[in-house]
Amino acid sequence: MQRKKLSTTIGAGNYGYLHAMVKRGRAESVGEAVDKTVELARRLENRATFERQTAAFFKGRSSKVAAEETDLEDVLSAASQEMDFDRP
């Protein structure tokens, strides 16, 4: 992975958090700790975006589409009741 140089100042608490990650073995360096923290923030942001988009999709669908999906859900639920998932 190609690394980029970042030179900045951060809050003392955040600096301590990054060093604690290194001390606990969760990162090999402060730079890696920053990467892991940013990756986590990005995952959380992406998850929140996906949740908003999903909610908007379900809110925006027509009542006909909602009814069709409910019917499909009922059929799939009934079919899954007949399946033996423990049998090879």
Side-chain angles (χ1 to χ4, degrees), residues 72-88:
L72 179 58
E73 178 184 323
D74 293 342
V75 169
L76 290 173
S77 178
S80 71
Q81 298 300 317
E82 298 173 11
M83 298 177 88
D84 183 0
F85 291 103
D86 293 324
R87 202 174 105 207

Side-chain angles (χ1 to χ4, degrees), residues 13-85:
N14 292 335
Y15 187 75
Y17 174 79
L18 297 172
H19 272 282
M21 285 181 69
V22 174
K23 191 173 185 178
R24 289 189 311 265
R26 293 184 57 210
E28 292 185 22
S29 66
V30 172
E32 185 179 310
V34 169
D35 284 341
K36 288 180 180 247
T37 303
V38 170
E39 287 169 6
L40 174 61
R42 291 176 68 182
R43 280 195 309 271
L44 293 173
E45 185 177 307
N46 289 340
R47 185 177 300 151
T49 299
F50 180 70
E51 289 172 359
R52 283 191 304 275
Q53 291 172 342
T54 301
F57 168 79
F58 282 103
K59 184 178 179 182
R61 65 191 174 152
S62 70
S63 58
K64 179 182 177 190
V65 169
E68 288 173 354
E69 288 179 355
T70 299
D71 292 344
L72 179 58
E73 178 184 323
D74 293 342
V75 169
L76 290 173
S77 178
S80 71
Q81 298 300 317
E82 298 173 11
M83 298 177 88
D84 183 0
F85 291 103

